[in-house]
Amino acid sequence: MEKIVQEMLHQIIESKSYDEKQIEVYFSPQYIQVVNTTVLDFEGFKKHIQKLKAVVDSINLEILHTGVGDHCVFTNHRVHVVLKDQSSHYYKVMAMFVFEENKIIRCEELTYLVEGEGDNLGAVV
């Protein structure tokens, strides 16, 4: 499961392009994501990823720590984002990914802006 989360973060989040087929490799159609106080279903999550690809020039993600439990993986990671306007933003993310049948079915995430200005990109749609 840990390897799946690491691959997903690099293949989906860091990628410059939107690939719905790639999302379906990692995520269940019943997927729910809770970011801070925002709840996204699977369709909302796909819109979130599309929006990120529209406003972001690059995303570099560094996983600092991981933990594995029964059917879940916890990550603590840093994210450096450069928007299309070339402004730079740093986020800290703590996330718990829950698995069912080898796919991510839920993510509970705390994302906060450490450096930069503007909206929190963790749940932008």
Side-chain angles (χ1 to χ4, degrees), residues 13-17 49-60 80-89 121:
I13 305 304
E14 287 186 317
S15 172
K16 287 192 177 232
S17 61
I49 298 299
Q50 286 177 320
K51 180 68 171 184
L52 282 179
K53 303 311 173 192
V55 300
V56 169
D57 188 51
S58 68
I59 296 179
N60 292 303
H80 176 225
V81 177
V82 177
L83 297 179
K84 300 266 184 191
D85 68 6
Q86 297 307 300
S87 61
S88 185
H89 308 267
L121 292 176

Side-chain angles (χ1 to χ4, degrees), residues 65-107:
H65 303 285
T66 59
V68 179
D70 290 340
H71 307 291
C72 68
V73 174
F74 171 83
T75 64
N76 178 353
H77 53 277
R78 278 191 294 225
V79 183
H80 176 225
V81 177
V82 177
L83 297 179
K84 300 266 184 191
D85 68 6
Q86 297 307 300
S87 61
S88 185
H89 308 267
Y90 288 90
Y91 293 88
K92 183 161 186 174
V93 180
M94 289 180 273
M96 182 182 70
F97 299 92
V98 179
F99 282 78
E100 187 175 281
E101 297 178 4
N102 291 323
K103 293 207 179 208
I104 302 167
I105 193 162
R106 184 173 182 88
C107 176

